[in-house]
Amino acid sequence: MTIRVLIADDQEMVRRGLRRILESQPDIEVVGEAADGVAALEAARALRPDVALVDIRMPRMDGLEVTRRLAGTGTDSGPAGGTADPLPKVRVVVVTTFDLDEYVYPALRHGACGFLLKRSGPALLIEAVRAAVAGDSLISPSITVRLLKHVTGSRPTAPRALEALTERETEIAGQVAAGLTNADIARELFISPGTVKTHVASIQRKLGVRNRVGIAVHAWEMGYAGREVPRW
């Protein structure tokens, strides 16, 4: 299945470079580009991409608001002030220049599936798109973990989950925050990847988060990221 990608960045050179890298892959197709946030929403509505690469800083509407609208389930307003068709839900990978950008925390909270530095290189860009579609792993785990440590260090403790995590789910949430994939966690815990996937889905439901990034943020805030929990 071909992965349909929308690129939203205000720099034409960046868009051209991203397109060239992505279109070198037989399973990825760049279906559109946008030079600002408003154009990104319009393109998403018209083109229905699977993944949107979204720059943080763009004119007219920044990447944070674009992420919130595309990764969420909101609607957009038409030019006459009425309500336009609902925006499609799109997996968003945020693209930025700085690994400690002050906008990282809200981007993750708004449902971004991954975080990619512009200097990361072609391989990581391709990995980011495929991982977003799979919903299975964080992009560049070492960078993500560093960002999470930075943005959660000065934040208040997260509200209690609506439903408490089990001991096993707490352990898995901590490993997700450490950047481990389902396969990595399965090897660590001597269980099947399918079982891990089931636990991850349960954790997302209990915490009310959209993806693994949300699990990681919660784990860092609650202080059990990477913490060992006694095994059964």
Side-chain angles (χ1 to χ4, degrees), residues 3 5-25 28-35 51-56 58 93-97 116-129:
I3 302 170
V5 178
L6 169 67
I7 300 172
D9 193 292
D10 62 342
Q11 298 182 54
E12 182 180 358
M13 184 177 299
V14 171
R15 297 198 306 272
R16 190 184 309 128
L18 296 177
R19 175 185 281 273
R20 184 170 59 250
I21 292 168
L22 294 176
E23 291 191 336
S24 70
Q25 302 301 302
I28 299 176
E29 176 188 6
V30 176
V31 296
E33 299 180 13
V51 178
L53 298 182
V54 177
D55 189 13
I56 286 285
M58 293 188 293
V93 175
V94 171
V95 181
T96 185
T97 302
L116 186 69
L117 300 180
K118 290 182 179 178
R119 63 174 182 272
S120 297
L124 206 57
L125 174 66
I126 294 165
E127 177 190 346
V129 170

Side-chain angles (χ1 to χ4, degrees), residues 6 34 36-46 61 65-66 69-70 76 87-88:
L6 169 67
D36 62 68
V38 173
L41 296 185
E42 294 171 351
R45 181 180 286 109
M61 180 184 296
E65 182 62 15
V66 172
R69 297 196 189 194
L70 292 183
D76 193 22
L87 286 164

